[in-house]
Amino acid sequence: MNENDKTTGLILTGGGARAAYQVGVLKAVSVILREAGWPAEKNPFAIICGTSAGAINATALACSADNFGVGVRNLLQVWTHMNAAQIYRADSIGMLRSGARWLSILSFGWMLRQWHRDPPMSLLDNSPLAELLDSMLDYSGLDASLASGALQALAVTASSYTTGQHLTFYQTLNPVEPWVRSQRRSQQDYITTQHLLASSAIPFIFPSVSVNWGGRMEYCGDGAMRQLAPISPAIHLGAKKILIVGAGRMSEQKPEAPLLAQYPSIAQIAGHAMSSIFLDSLAVDIERLNRINKTISILPQELQDKMALHAIDTLIISPSQRLDAIASKHIKSLPLPVRTMLAGIGATEIRGSALASYLLFESAYTTELIELGKLDAFDMKSQVLDFFGKSKSVSTE
C-alpha cells in the first residue's frame, strides 16, 4: 500500500492549558504540508481523536475539516487570546463559592453541616467553558464534513464515575460496530458540548458532568483517568498511521534533582498525580504499540494476511522543554483571586508549578506553548514529510 493511501489518524491528548502546545504543532504541520504542495484547505486526518482539552481541540478541527487551514487558524485565535475567566470563574466571588468552600469542607467539613445538602462540587467553577465551547464550535460543520468525506470519524473519551468504565464516544457518517474491552466501552453518538465538558472535567478541579450512555445518565470526568490505551480509538475506527501530539514527559528535558529534598507541598503532589493521569498512559501505550509492531514484523507475510494483521505507523511530537518550568514564569499572569488560592496549596512555588501548568489559561503562557509546539514540529520537518509521504525539502522561514 502506498503511504498516501493509508488512513491517517490524529490523537490529541489531555492536559488542561498544556493543550495550547498542540495548536502550535498543528500550525507547523499545516505550514510544512502546504509548502510541500498539500492544499491548504485539505484535511490530512481522516480520523481525529481527543481526550480532555485535546478533545476540545480535536472537535474544533473536526468541525472545520472541510477547510483544515481555517480550523487551525480558529484554534490559534482562541488559544492566543486565552484568559482564565473564559474557562473558570476567576473572580473573588467565584473563588469563594467554589475553591474556598471546597478547600474548607475538605479541611473541616464535618463541622459545616449546612453544606451537607449543597456541598461544593469542585475546586473551580468551569461554567464559562460551556459558553466558550458553544461560541467557538459549529457542530453543523462536523456533520457537513462527515457527509462530504472530508472527515471519517471523530472520537472523544471520558471516564465514568458511575460505573468506573472508560468511555469513548464517536461520531461517523456510517455505522461502526462499537468495541468492548476490559474496562473500556464505546458508543456511536452525536458529539456535543456536554461530551466535551465531561471529557475535560479534570478530577477535583472541575465538576463531573452527566452524559447519556445507552439510555441512562452517567456522571463522568476527565477522559485521561483510567485511559489504558489512548491510541486504541483511532485504531478501532480504521487508522493505519497516527500522528500523536503529547503534552509532556516523553521528550522534554529532565529536571535536576535538588541536593536537599523538601517535603512535597499539596500542589507538588497534585501536579505529580495529574502528570501520571495525563502523560504516563500515553507513553505506556506507545511502548505497547511498538512491541506489537515489532512482533508483526517478524511474522511471515502470508500469516499477517491470513490474520488481517498490520503494523500501525506512528509519529510522536511532544514538548522538548518542561511545561511546568514554563508555567512557573507566568503564574503572575493569573488573576489575583486564583493566585491567592493556588498559593495556599503551594502551586505558585517552582516545585508546585506542575499543577499550575494545567490551570494557567492565560495568553502569556499559552502563546509560549504554541511557539514551542511550532519549533518542535519544525525540528521534525523531515519526519513529518516522511509520515505524510512527502519528500520535498522546504523552508520553515
Side-chain angles (χ1 to χ4, degrees):
M1 179 184 292
N2 185 286
E3 287 295 313
N4 293 327
D5 295 332
K6 291 186 176 181
T7 302
T8 303
L10 171 67
I11 291 179
L12 301 177
T13 62
R18 287 170 170 244
Y21 174 84
Q22 301 168 353
V23 182
V25 171
L26 292 168
K27 174 59 178 177
V29 168
S30 69
V31 171
I32 292 171
L33 290 178
R34 185 174 68 249
E35 293 184 349
W38 190 284
E41 69 280 358
K42 184 180 178 182
N43 173 34
F45 304 107
I47 297 164
I48 302 178
C49 304
T51 302
S52 192
I56 295 173
N57 287 341
T59 303
L61 283 180
C63 288
S64 298
D66 59 346
N67 195 319
F68 182 70
V70 169
V72 173
R73 285 199 299 273
N74 290 341
L75 277 173
L76 280 169
Q77 176 69 17
V78 171
W79 282 96
T80 55
H81 295 84
M82 183 72 72
N83 63 78
Q86 293 176 294
I87 309 300
Y88 51 81
R89 289 286 303 274
D91 57 287
S92 298
I93 295 177
M95 289 292 99
L96 287 171
R97 287 180 175 175
S98 58
R101 293 178 72 219
W102 191 81
L103 290 173
S104 296
I105 203 169
L106 281 182
S107 301
F108 45 88
W110 58 275
M111 297 175 59
L112 306 177
R113 296 183 181 276
Q114 68 270 27
W115 284 351
H116 286 185
R117 294 183 179 180
D118 183 28
M121 295 184 293
S122 59
L123 182 65
L124 297 172
D125 173 5
N126 68 337
S127 54
L129 176 58
E131 298 178 15
L132 175 64
L133 294 178
D134 286 338
S135 66
M136 69 179 281
L137 299 174
D138 178 7
Y139 294 102
S140 65
L142 170 58
D143 298 334
S145 295
L146 290 168
S148 69
L151 181 71
Q152 183 174 313
L154 167 68
V156 303
T157 61
S159 295
S160 173
Y161 292 122
T162 305
T163 64
Q165 298 285 320
H166 179 71
L167 309 179
T168 296
F169 302 87
Y170 61 94
Q171 184 171 343
T172 62
L173 180 63
N174 300 312
V176 172
E177 188 69 22
W179 58 93
V180 177
R181 298 292 185 272
S182 176
Q183 300 299 315
R184 291 184 281 141
R185 300 291 185 270
S186 62
Q187 174 176 282
Q188 192 159 5
D189 209 338
Y190 288 99
I191 304 301
T192 66
T193 294
Q194 196 77 352
H195 294 99
L196 301 183
L197 290 173
S199 180
S200 59
I202 301 174
F204 302 111
I205 306 298
F206 295 147
S208 59
V209 178
S210 62
V211 293
N212 186 306
W213 183 265
R216 66 178 184 274
M217 302 305 294
E218 295 192 16
Y219 279 93
C220 295
D222 200 291
M225 295 185 293
R226 307 195 71 179
Q227 189 174 28
L228 302 177
I231 304 172
S232 67
I235 297 175
H236 284 295
L237 290 169
K240 301 299 187 294
K241 59 179 183 177
I242 304 170
L243 172 63
I244 303 164
V245 185
R249 277 196 176 172
M250 300 191 64
S251 60
E252 65 184 15
Q253 302 167 359
K254 306 302 179 187
E256 294 185 7
L259 295 177
L260 182 62
Q262 294 178 280
Y263 191 85
S265 65
I266 293 176
Q268 189 175 0
I269 296 171
H272 180 73
M274 280 196 182
S275 295
S276 298
I277 291 171
F278 285 114
L279 308 178
D280 292 347
S281 61
L282 177 62
V284 171
D285 204 27
I286 290 172
E287 183 179 346
R288 182 189 301 116
L289 179 62
N290 288 337
R291 289 200 305 268
I292 293 173
N293 284 343
K294 186 174 181 180
T295 300
I296 291 174
S297 69
I298 63 178
L299 294 177
Q301 186 61 51
E302 59 270 20
L303 184 59
Q304 294 182 35
D305 295 339
K306 183 178 180 180
M307 301 180 65
L309 295 173
H310 60 269
I312 302 295
D313 299 329
T314 60
L315 175 65
I316 302 119
I317 304 178
S318 60
S320 58
Q321 300 179 29
R322 292 190 62 82
L323 301 193
D324 50 353
I326 296 175
S328 68
K329 300 185 302 180
H330 297 289
I331 288 177
K332 290 184 178 179
S333 65
L334 283 167
L336 180 59
V338 181
R339 293 205 314 271
T340 302
M341 182 194 68
L342 292 179
I345 57 175
T348 56
E349 304 171 8
I350 292 178
R351 63 190 181 125
S353 58
L355 175 61
S357 72
Y358 295 94
L359 304 178
L360 228 166
F361 293 94
E362 293 290 338
S363 60
Y365 174 62
T366 58
T367 299
E368 185 165 351
L369 296 195
I370 289 170
E371 292 305 313
L372 177 62
K374 291 179 184 178
L375 289 174
D376 287 345
F378 280 134
D379 284 345
M380 296 181 65
K381 179 182 66 175
S382 60
Q383 294 98 312
V384 171
L385 291 172
D386 288 343
F387 179 78
F388 287 100
K390 300 286 184 179
S391 58
K392 182 180 178 180
S393 178
V394 296
S395 170
T396 60
E397 296 297 325

